[in-house]
């Protein structure tokens, strides 16, 4: 077992483990740590605990100290300087007539490096911009191109559910999301209904995926033929996944009618997973633009 403490550097950012050394560190406190980028100011999200050695990437970097009032003031000043740096960088981008959108500026705690995050449609040659910025700020400059998901994570916003975006509030890492998840949950495959503020598929499609997979595995497909508990044979008209109910078109006295049954009142051939999840060519064509074919990551390696 090895003693660790979990520290986060950005809101809803990834949590990194550090060696707490001799310090008594509590949840929510601020600490100064050594990272690959230099000296950083972070918030403790996991109080001191012991973990198996195979769960921790070693060697662990140490916690230098618990943040002092002076450290808190330095961090506050850095946040103010970041706003000023952002405005200056925007002006420099306009001066160089570059097709890029600046998203955020970030100082390391020791001011050893100034990072600018931006989005652009393609690759950008920003060497002259870096030289210009370095002459102004007199520190190491790093420009990092990010994707639309990362941009939304930084800026935040309100989702179609009316709540603040998951990625900006608590989602530390992006999970892979696919069109098949929407189909599994019987959601409308209209791109405007299942895409988020970033224009990609909504991250929350992942939340209930396992539950719907389990429930769907016990249901027949629409159009399948089943035998009911009252010895009638019919075609599945519709299914209610959460209620585990099935509406079946049956023939009674030479007349067709729709009856509803619990799934355990039916006998049918279990569905084959791949066939159930297969998308039609029309669905693939309409929604291919929304498939998440990869994303950049702004979480730094500390």
């Amino acid at each position: 077992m090895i003693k660790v403490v979990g520290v986060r550097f950005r809101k809803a950012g990834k949590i990194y483990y550090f060696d707490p050394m001799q310090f008594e560190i509590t949840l929510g406190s601020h600490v100064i740590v050594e990272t690959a980028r230099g000296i950083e100011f972070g918030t403790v999200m996991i109080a001191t605990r012991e973990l198996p050695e195979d769960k921790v990437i070693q060697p662990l970097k140490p916690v230098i100290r618990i943040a002092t009032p002076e450290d808190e003031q330095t961090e506050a000043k850095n946040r103010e300087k970041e706003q000023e740096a952002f405005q200056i960088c925007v002006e420099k981008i306009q001066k160089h007539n570059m097709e890029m959108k600046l998203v955020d500026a970030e100082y390391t705690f020791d001011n050893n490096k100034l990072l600018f995050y931006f989005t652009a449609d393609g690759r950008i040659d920003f060497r002259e911009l870096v030289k210009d910025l370095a002459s102004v700020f007199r520190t190491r400059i790093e420009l990092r191109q990010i994707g639309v998901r990362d941009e939304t994570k930084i800026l935040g916003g309100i989702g179609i559910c009316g709540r603040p975006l998951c990625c900006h509030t608590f989602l530390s890492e992006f999970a892979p999301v696919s069109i098949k998840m929407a189909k599994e949950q019987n959601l409308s495959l209209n791109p405007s209904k299942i895409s988020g503020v970033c224009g990609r598929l909504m991250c929350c499609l992942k939340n209930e995926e396992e539950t719907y997979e389990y429930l769907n595995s016990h249901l027949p497909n629409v159009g399948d033929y089943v035998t009911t508990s009252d010895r009638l044979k019919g075609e599945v008209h519709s299914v209610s996944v959460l209620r585990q109910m099935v509406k079946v078109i049956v023939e009674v006295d030479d007349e067709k009618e729709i009856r509803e049954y619990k799934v355990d009142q039916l006998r049918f051939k279990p569905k084959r997973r791949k066939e159930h999840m297969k998308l039609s060519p029309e669905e693939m064509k309409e929604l291919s633009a929304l498939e998440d074919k990869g994303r950049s990551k702004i979480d730094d390696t500390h």
Side-chain angles (χ1 to χ4, degrees), residues 124-166:
I124 298 292
D125 183 357
F126 46 70
R127 287 174 293 183
E128 293 302 320
L129 176 61
V130 170
K131 292 178 183 178
D132 204 352
L133 293 171
S135 66
V136 174
F137 297 107
R138 302 292 181 180
T139 188
R140 293 173 58 194
I141 302 295
E142 181 177 331
L143 269 70
R144 187 170 298 179
Q145 187 169 356
I146 61 176
V148 290
R149 274 188 159 189
D150 300 317
E151 176 188 9
T152 304
K153 181 179 180 67
I154 292 174
L155 299 178
I158 302 297
I160 60 174
C161 59
R163 296 180 62 85
L165 298 178
C166 299

Side-chain angles (χ1 to χ4, degrees), residues 203-229:
C203 295
C204 57
L205 291 176
K206 180 72 175 178
N207 293 356
E208 297 178 348
E209 171 64 8
E210 291 184 5
T211 299
Y212 272 90
E213 283 184 354
Y214 174 78
L215 294 176
N216 275 319
S217 67
H218 293 77
L219 292 170
N221 289 325
V222 174
D224 285 355
Y225 286 90
V226 299
T227 301
T228 69
S229 57

Side-chain angles (χ1 to χ4, degrees), residues 8 10-14 153 166-173:
R8 176 177 282 167
R10 307 175 64 95
K11 182 177 181 180
K14 186 176 179 180
K153 181 179 180 67
C166 299
C167 61
H168 184 67
T169 52
F170 69 88
L171 195 63
S172 60
E173 295 185 85

Side-chain angles (χ1 to χ4, degrees), residues 19 23 117 180 215 225 240 266 284:
D19 184 347
F23 301 108
Y117 300 99
K180 291 181 180 179
L215 294 176
Y225 286 90
S240 175
L266 303 176
M284 289 296 295

Side-chain angles (χ1 to χ4, degrees), residues 2-9 15-21 23-29 31-33 43-51 56 60-64:
I2 186 169
K3 189 178 291 186
V4 301
V5 61
V7 179
R8 176 177 282 167
F9 299 94
I15 296 175
Y16 297 88
Y17 290 130
F18 291 86
D19 184 347
M21 304 300 285
F23 301 108
E24 292 294 331
I25 301 174
T26 57
L27 184 67
S29 60
V31 292
I32 306 300
V33 296
T43 303
V44 176
M45 306 305 296
I46 301 175
T48 304
R49 65 173 60 178
E50 291 188 345
L51 292 178
V56 179
L60 285 178
K61 293 184 180 296
V63 172
I64 298 174

